[in-house]
Amino acid sequence: MINKETITEWFKSLQDEACNILSQADGKGVFFEDAWSRPGGGGGRTRIIQNGNVIEKGAINFSAVYGETPEKILQALNLSNADFYATGVSTIQHPFNPFVPIIHMNVRYFEMSDGTWWFGGGIDLTPHYIDDNDASDFHSELKKICDSHDTSYYDRFKNWADDYFYIKHRKETRGIGGIFFDRLNDKPKEDIFEFVKDVGTMFANFYKKMMLKHQNDPFTESDINWRNLRRGRYVEFNLVWDKGTKFGLDTDGRTESILASLPPYAQWPYKYDANPKEQETLDKLKKGIDWINKKGL
C-alpha cells in the first residue's frame, strides 16, 4: 500500500542513490550531510558537494515536514484549513566547466489531514552554452519516460516547463526546459508514484553522462565569465519566480537548505555584449522549441 511513509522512505533512498552516482562520477567530491529539524514538525537531510573534479557546488536534499498549514499556503493554493505533510527530494548541480550544464530536479508529495493529496515535480537542463545534441538526448529520454506512463504527459509537461522555467523580466527561458508538473492526482496514487520514481531516477544517470562527456572540454576565462553570467540568471529565477523557494520559506523551512541551490559565484555585468558564440545560446532561450526533432531553433 502506498502511503506517506512508503513515499518518504523511497525519497530517502533516491537521495542515497543519486549522491552515490554523482560522487563516483565526480571522482573527488563527496557529499557531506547536514541533518536539520523544523520547529513546527519534521526536518530533512541536506547533502552538499563542493570543489570536486567536475561539480563546484551541488546539493541533493531530502525533507519531510508537517504541521499546521501556514495561512499564506492556504490562500495561495486555495486549500481548506487542515494540517499538511510534504516530502520530497530536490537537487541542483553547478559544474566548474562551462560546457557541463546545470541540472535541476525535484520530486515531491503533499497531503493534508482532510484527504487532499498530490504529487509534483520537474527536471530541467540549463546549459551555459546550448548543445543541440545534448538537448535532443535529454528531451528524448524524458519523452520515453512520459510515454511509458501516459502518452499525453510529455507534450503537456514540456509545455508546462517552458512556461514555468521562464525568466519573465528577461523574456528568456532558464535553459532548454524539460518537464514540470504539479498537483497531479488524476490517477491512482500508485500509478502517479511510479511516474515520479522514474523521473527521480533519471536525473543522476543522465547527469553522469553529461559530466563524463564534457568535463574535459577546453575552456577560456571568457567562458568562465559567461558561465557566471548565466548563473546569475539562475539566481534571478530562483529568488524571484521559483514557487519551491517561496513554499520552503513560507513553511519555515531551513533557509540554508532552501538556498543551497544557489551557485558559489555569479556575476551581473552591466549591459553585457554577448559574443557570437554566446548569442547563439541567447537566441535559443525561448519557449516552444521541439528539441527532439530540432525544430524551432
Side-chain angles (χ1 to χ4, degrees):
M1 178 180 177
I2 300 299
N3 54 36
K4 65 184 180 184
E5 288 79 18
T6 55
I7 294 169
T8 300
E9 286 305 309
W10 189 85
F11 283 152
K12 287 182 179 179
S13 70
L14 174 63
Q15 184 193 37
D16 292 340
E17 179 185 31
C19 287
N20 288 336
I21 291 172
L22 293 196
S23 60
Q24 289 177 16
D26 185 271
K28 174 187 174 184
V30 295
F31 286 87
F32 71 87
E33 180 172 301
D34 182 18
W36 54 275
S37 297
R38 175 179 175 270
R45 306 186 307 197
T46 296
R47 291 186 183 168
I48 301 294
I49 184 172
Q50 298 185 102
N51 299 317
N53 284 326
V54 185
I55 301 170
E56 185 172 16
K57 179 189 175 188
I60 302 178
N61 296 337
F62 160 82
S63 64
V65 297
Y66 54 85
E68 183 178 349
T69 309
E71 187 62 31
K72 283 185 179 180
I73 301 299
L74 294 175
Q75 293 179 359
L77 301 180
N78 192 28
L79 299 171
S80 58
N81 191 5
D83 291 344
F84 82 98
Y85 183 94
T87 184
V89 171
S90 179
T91 177
I92 172 68
Q93 308 299 321
H94 293 286
F96 281 108
N97 193 311
F99 295 98
V100 179
I102 300 168
I103 195 168
H104 155 265
M105 188 280 298
N106 171 265
V107 283
R108 57 190 181 274
Y109 172 72
F110 182 90
E111 74 172 35
M112 300 185 75
S113 56
D114 65 1
T116 300
W117 65 269
W118 67 72
F119 287 96
I123 180 170
D124 70 302
L125 202 66
T126 304
H128 311 97
Y129 295 104
I130 293 177
D131 180 314
D132 294 350
N133 291 326
D134 288 347
S136 179
D137 189 12
F138 180 64
H139 278 271
S140 294
E141 288 202 26
L142 286 175
K143 187 175 189 303
K144 183 178 179 180
I145 288 171
C146 288
D147 286 353
S148 70
H149 293 275
D150 188 317
T151 55
S152 72
Y153 273 1
Y154 177 72
D155 287 343
R156 177 181 165 194
F157 297 157
K158 192 268 187 187
N159 291 333
W160 201 340
D162 280 356
D163 289 336
Y164 183 78
F165 297 113
Y166 186 71
I167 309 173
K168 297 178 184 178
H169 59 278
R170 296 286 186 181
K171 295 181 173 59
E172 64 185 40
T173 55
R174 188 166 81 174
I176 63 161
I179 59 172
F180 181 83
F181 53 95
D182 199 14
R183 304 185 80 164
L184 198 61
N185 60 3
D186 56 349
K187 293 184 178 183
K189 188 177 292 186
E190 292 80 4
D191 294 348
I192 301 176
F193 187 38
E194 289 303 312
F195 168 65
V196 168
K197 288 163 68 175
D198 284 348
V199 173
T201 301
M202 175 214 172
F203 144 70
N205 292 311
F206 183 84
Y207 198 59
K208 175 183 177 180
K209 183 164 57 175
M210 291 293 98
M211 292 167 66
L212 297 177
K213 180 178 179 179
H214 293 295
Q215 64 182 345
N216 295 318
D217 289 1
F219 59 88
T220 66
E221 187 65 28
S222 175
D223 294 324
I224 291 293
N225 290 334
W226 176 247
R227 179 203 69 183
N228 289 343
L229 182 148
R230 296 311 309 167
R231 284 179 172 181
R233 299 292 194 265
Y234 206 98
V235 171
E236 291 176 23
F237 178 85
N238 276 29
L239 295 183
V240 177
W241 301 109
D242 187 64
K243 293 180 180 178
T245 301
K246 294 179 180 179
F247 178 86
L249 296 175
D250 285 344
T251 54
D252 292 326
R254 186 167 182 264
T255 302
E256 193 72 16
S257 298
I258 295 166
L259 299 184
S261 64
L262 301 182
Y265 302 102
Q267 63 186 30
W268 287 264
Y270 185 70
K271 295 183 70 174
Y272 183 85
D273 291 324
N275 65 37
K277 181 172 67 172
E278 296 161 352
Q279 189 61 48
E280 284 183 16
T281 285
L282 291 176
D283 291 341
K284 296 173 182 178
L285 297 176
K286 58 185 180 180
K287 302 179 185 180
I289 294 177
D290 177 356
W291 291 106
I292 295 175
N293 299 300
K294 302 180 184 179
K295 294 180 179 179
L297 298 172

